[in-house]
Amino acid sequence: MSTLLDNLNWRYATKKFDATKKISESDLNTLKEAVRLSASSYGLQPFKVVIVENPELREKLKAEAWGQTQITDASHLFIFANDVSLDANSVDQYMKNISETRGVPVEALEGFSGMIKGQIAGLSNDAKNVWTAKQTYIALGTLLSAAAELKIDTTPMEGFSPAAFNEILGLDKLGLNAAVVATIGYRHDEDDAQHYKKVRKSQEELFITL
């Protein structure tokens, strides 16, 4: 049985996907659930994940992603879009979810709710959007690890035009912004990058223990 470290050593940023291979519905649901269960600040999850399967849409998106073939050849395209309209109402909806899930009165959550609202109110729009975008990267990391567990290949991508993606997908109208992208599927036999040794800093270089 593969271990976590085996899986992380196995994964790499796939350069060429096999367009003929598709992820099963079961595995796709597992990846979606892993992302849903991922950590986020306060548990607020101030983002949505747009899964693009439509070939025509993906061709348009590829043109706004430097023509990278992963966008169209991968089985699925995940777009992590941060909430640019996060406000007190968003927090109220979260408190309602907590109340219903845990069976506690909403009134009992007023202190927690007030703290989050105070933190959000103290941020400029730019700072708030940076914060919500950071949350998408936590979910992205969970997706990459979960996919490696299933021996599904991934490529996290920042090389695209968020403004163009927002326009093509209508994210602006939803109060969302494309923050980071991940293509998922199966590596092509001709992808030479799968044979490269993984290059990372040593533990001695990377970690500082105080």
Side-chain angles (χ1 to χ4, degrees):
M1 181 179 294
S2 297
T3 67
L4 172 63
L5 294 183
D6 289 334
N7 294 329
L8 293 178
N9 270 300
W10 172 85
R11 74 150 303 276
Y12 72 107
T14 305
K15 302 298 184 288
K16 183 177 177 63
F17 283 92
D18 187 335
T20 68
K21 295 181 179 180
K22 300 299 179 183
I23 296 168
S24 70
E25 194 67 27
S26 174
D27 283 347
L28 179 61
N29 283 332
T30 297
L31 294 178
K32 290 164 68 174
E33 188 66 2
V35 171
R36 188 183 75 87
L37 295 172
S38 183
S40 72
S41 292
Y42 306 120
L44 192 56
Q45 296 174 291
F47 57 86
K48 288 190 181 294
V49 184
V50 181
I51 301 175
V52 185
E53 298 181 352
N54 183 285
E56 289 79 14
L57 270 180
R58 287 169 67 169
E59 282 292 345
K60 291 179 181 178
L61 294 172
K62 182 173 75 170
E64 303 298 340
W66 306 343
Q68 295 176 89
T69 59
Q70 295 100 318
I71 296 289
T72 50
D73 290 348
S75 175
H76 288 74
L77 172 63
F78 277 46
I79 299 172
F80 293 81
N82 63 296
D83 188 348
V84 298
S85 57
L86 187 68
D87 57 14
N89 182 61
S90 304
V91 179
D92 288 338
Q93 291 302 310
Y94 177 44
M95 294 303 124
K96 180 181 178 183
N97 192 0
I98 294 176
S99 174
E100 294 174 350
T101 301
R102 296 179 177 172
V104 299
V106 172
E107 294 75 18
L109 302 169
E110 288 181 358
F112 185 38
S113 176
M115 180 189 69
I116 299 176
K117 289 178 180 178
Q119 290 290 330
I120 293 173
L123 297 174
S124 66
N125 284 337
D126 285 345
K128 183 170 61 177
N129 291 335
V130 167
W131 175 66
T132 56
K134 285 181 177 179
Q135 303 307 303
T136 67
Y137 282 78
I138 299 173
L140 170 66
T142 301
L143 172 67
L144 300 185
S145 295
E149 184 82 11
L150 297 172
K151 290 296 186 285
I152 293 173
D153 292 295
T154 55
T155 305
M157 304 171 72
E158 293 182 309
F160 66 95
S161 167
F165 271 44
N166 292 343
E167 182 178 354
I168 291 169
L169 299 173
L171 298 181
D172 291 329
K173 298 175 182 178
L174 300 175
L176 298 169
N177 170 68
V180 66
V181 167
T183 52
I184 61 175
Y186 297 99
R187 63 189 69 176
H188 197 288
D189 291 341
E190 297 176 359
D191 187 1
D192 292 337
Q194 66 189 290
H195 304 299
Y196 299 161
K197 288 187 175 181
K198 190 178 289 291
V199 179
R200 294 292 188 273
K201 293 180 179 180
S202 67
Q203 288 193 17
E204 290 74 20
E205 291 178 289
L206 185 60
F207 295 99
I208 300 173
T209 303
L210 302 176

